Each structure stands twice: as C-alpha cells, then as structure tokens.
Amino acid sequence: MRSYRLISSPDSIASAKVRLYLRWKNVPFRETVATRQVIKCEVTPRIKGVDVPIFITPTNETHQDSRAIIDFVEARERGDALVPERGELTFAARLMEAYCDDWLANAITQIVWSHDKTRAPLTLAKTLYPDQSPEQNERIARILVSRVGSRLARRGFEASMISDTREQVSIFLSCLDRHLERSDFLLGDRPCIADFGLAAALTTLRDSSADGATFVAERPHVFNWLAEVNGPGSPALGEYRRAYGLPATLIDLLRIASVHFIPHGLEACDAVADWADANPGKINLPKIVGHSRRGDAASELNPQSQFLMQRILDALAQADTPADKTALQETLEKVGCADLADYQPRRTVRHEHFRMRVNLTPNPAASTPNIAFHNIAEPLLQVRRESSETRDLERLVVS
C-alpha cells in the first residue's frame, strides 16, 4: 500500500508543523526535500506555483497549506483527535494557531535570518541547488537574504525593528515557560494543533543559530517541552483540560496572541469584503487585498489572515451547551475581546484549488460594518501602541 508523501523544505516552519502533526497522529508518510528539480517536476505541475508543504495522498490527491493538510488528515484518519472539541479549548487552540502562523513564524524567520546572514540562507541554497559549487551557492544565499528581507518588510517586519521583534518573542517565551512549568502541553496532558505550530517555529529558532539556541535554553520548561513535541509521539495520549476555566498562565499567552493577531485578522476581513464589493462576480482573491499598519510598520493584508480568523469564529460557534458558552465568554473577557463572540465578517472565504476564494453572496449574519470591528480591535490596538511606546511589554500579559 502506498503511503502519504510530504514535500517539504528544511527551513519551512509550515513543513515542520505538518511533520510534527503527522508523527503524533501516527500517520505513515515519506518525506521528500523540495530541491529545484522536485519543485519543477512535482510541485509546480500540481499547484501551478511554488509553495511548500505539499501533501500527496495514496490516491494521488494533492493538498497544500498546513491547515488544509491537517484538516484533511483529521477528517480521514483514525486515531485520537488532535483538535480539542470544547468551547474555550477550541478557541484557545485556534487563536494560538493563528498567532503562530501569522505572526510568530514571521518573527522567528526575521530573528534567524537577521542574526545569522550565512547559515540559514546557505542551507536553503544548498537544498535548492545541491549540484552547484560553493561559490555559486553563496551568491544564491545573498539573493535569498535580500528577497526574504523584502518579503518580511512587506508583512510589517522591517529590518530596523529587529530589536522590538526579539523583545516581543522573549516576553512570549517567558510567559510560555511559566505556563509549561505546570502543564505538559498548551492545553493539558496531550498536544493540540497549536503545540505543533508553536514547536515548529521555536525548533527553527533553536536549531538555526547559537543565538536562537540560547533564547530557548534560557527557558528550561520550553526546552523540555520542545524535546517532547519533537519526539516520536505517544500511542497513549493524555487528556485535554477537563475543568472549565483556563489557567492564568494560558490566559497570558492568549492575550499576547490576541493583541498580535486579532486586529490584523479583522482588518483583513474588512479588506476582503471591500475588494469583493469593488469586484462583483470575481471569486479568486489576489494575494494582497489591502494595506494597514502592524505596530510601527506598514503591512500587507492578505486573505489568509481572514481564513485564520474564520477558524477562530467557527470555534466560538461550536460552544453549544450553557456551560461551554459561559466558560467561553469568560475566556473572551479575560483575553480582552469579549465582543468577538458577536462578530461576523461581511464576506467569507474558502481555501479551494490551492488558492483563496471569496463567496459571491454577502454573509447575511454579518456584523454592522466598522462598528463591530472598532469595538473589538481598538482596545487591542491601544494596548499594542502603549506597549510599543513604553517598551513595557509585560503590559500585554499583566493587567
């Protein structure tokens, strides 16, 4: 019987996320490194573009995007689910996943590529072009540094802001270390999708430079948790938290995640709706639908951010029992986005045929334009502005 295939890149945080998930899910797969030849012969013909990870099923179906891959496997493979199903736990997992995919992965990439200007890009150059001479790979590495830096700048991670990025990641790691002192994983005695996205980013930080290794080693509980998540997985998984009410240390992490992602995700929802209104009858969204500010830098808005926001909103809708609804509302209030439970985007998007598409019909349950957005986003943006002005980043987690 043919197994699944994963086409990945050694420097891709999304690839590492899928790899960790498949290992814990106990799904057999073969992994192929995305050299230039593999990209030309297998990736581009399947998705009409260059992107990793690519997941190929035994029946030769192709899936792209780490979230879509995990959703596909969760729906079709037996075994313990690695996505929690209870109200505030589902919200916590989806919010942390969005934060890791949308903000933390970019922040880690900036730290790694700015601190070590030869190792990471040179490794990628050798992977892409294994037959090139050392001199040629060094030239390719310099080109990669420039391109990656430009791409990060467009996402709001300008080179001049590297010290701020490092400080924010450091604060997050310290909060994570406090949480993991009393919890084996983010949500209890078993990992969830957020553990895999977070571990993929921090493993890249740890393994890519001596500076990154020090960053992680200074937090012993994070260090031990990384070793556990990167292990072979366990056939006998533990349980997610059973008691209602999340611990204060997890609430601290969710506050950081909400400040960094929720305003950006809401702005992406508005930008997608504006684009759809201005382009009636078109469903294929462009990669960039607008621009905004992320902290002190200009940032592109893309449909992927709305896709992540919709997953959070879907998690909120899953709370169906009175106890679940009460616990979820309490969590939202503690995190600082209580009005999010009443928010609905004007348009919805879907990941289909390897691209983002918008639904032609406006969402009948949509919130009033602008009003709901500002009620949710403005308090979070104010917290972020104050922390940037004072450099007192502990205000993100300490009221």
Side-chain angles (χ1 to χ4, degrees), residues 118-330:
T118 56
R119 182 175 174 181
L122 189 57
T123 299
L124 183 55
K126 290 178 179 178
T127 300
L128 290 170
Y129 302 96
D131 299 327
Q132 295 289 345
S133 66
E135 294 77 12
Q136 184 70 4
N137 276 328
E138 288 179 2
R139 186 182 73 83
I140 296 170
R142 289 193 294 272
I143 295 174
L144 288 172
V145 168
S146 177
R147 290 183 177 178
V148 170
S150 297
R151 187 169 185 178
L152 288 171
R154 293 195 299 271
R155 295 181 177 181
F157 293 84
E158 296 179 354
S160 60
M161 299 175 62
I162 181 62
S163 60
D164 182 61
T165 301
R166 288 174 58 85
E167 194 170 7
Q168 292 175 55
V169 171
S170 179
I171 291 294
F172 175 78
L173 285 176
S174 296
C175 292
L176 179 62
D177 196 62
R178 288 198 293 270
H179 177 63
L180 293 174
E181 183 177 2
R182 297 186 177 183
S183 180
D184 290 340
F185 300 97
L186 283 175
L187 300 183
D189 298 329
R190 65 188 301 176
C192 68
I193 50 171
D195 285 274
F196 305 128
L198 181 55
L202 297 185
T203 300
T204 299
L205 177 65
R206 182 195 66 186
D207 296 346
S208 295
S209 70
D211 183 56
T214 301
F215 238 54
V216 174
E218 290 174 346
R219 283 86 178 182
H221 304 293
V222 173
F223 185 88
N224 293 335
W225 164 81
L226 268 183
E228 181 69 17
V229 178
N230 279 282
S234 172
L237 297 176
E239 298 289 338
Y240 292 127
R241 290 183 55 83
R242 294 184 177 183
Y244 286 103
L246 302 182
T249 51
L250 181 56
I251 293 294
D252 289 345
L253 294 174
L254 295 177
R255 285 179 182 172
I256 293 177
S258 65
V259 166
H260 282 298
F261 175 73
I262 296 296
H264 188 76
L266 291 173
E267 286 193 89
C269 292
D270 264 15
V272 166
D274 290 342
W275 183 92
D277 292 342
N279 296 271
K282 294 185 178 181
I283 63 171
N284 293 327
L285 287 161
K287 292 185 178 180
I288 307 302
V289 291
H291 292 80
S292 182
R293 297 202 65 80
R294 196 162 202 166
D296 297 329
S299 174
E300 297 173 337
L301 295 171
N302 61 71
Q304 290 282 352
S305 296
Q306 172 163 352
F307 183 65
L308 290 169
M309 177 59 72
Q310 285 180 193
R311 293 164 73 84
I312 294 173
L313 297 174
D314 290 343
L316 299 181
Q318 289 180 19
D320 51 5
T321 68
D324 283 348
K325 291 179 180 179
T326 300
L328 178 58
Q329 190 59 38
E330 291 176 354

Side-chain angles (χ1 to χ4, degrees), residues 4 17-29 55 69-85 190-193 196 229 231-237 240:
Y4 291 104
K17 173 185 174 182
V18 174
R19 183 186 307 117
L20 290 173
Y21 165 78
L22 293 173
R23 195 177 298 163
W24 276 89
K25 189 69 175 180
N26 199 25
V27 173
F29 69 99
F55 190 67
I69 293 170
I70 291 175
D71 287 348
F72 172 83
V73 176
E74 279 288 299
R76 286 164 177 79
E77 290 295 327
R78 292 178 297 177
D80 295 307
L82 293 172
V83 180
E85 298 179 352
R190 65 188 301 176
C192 68
I193 50 171
F196 305 128
V229 178
S234 172
L237 297 176
Y240 292 127

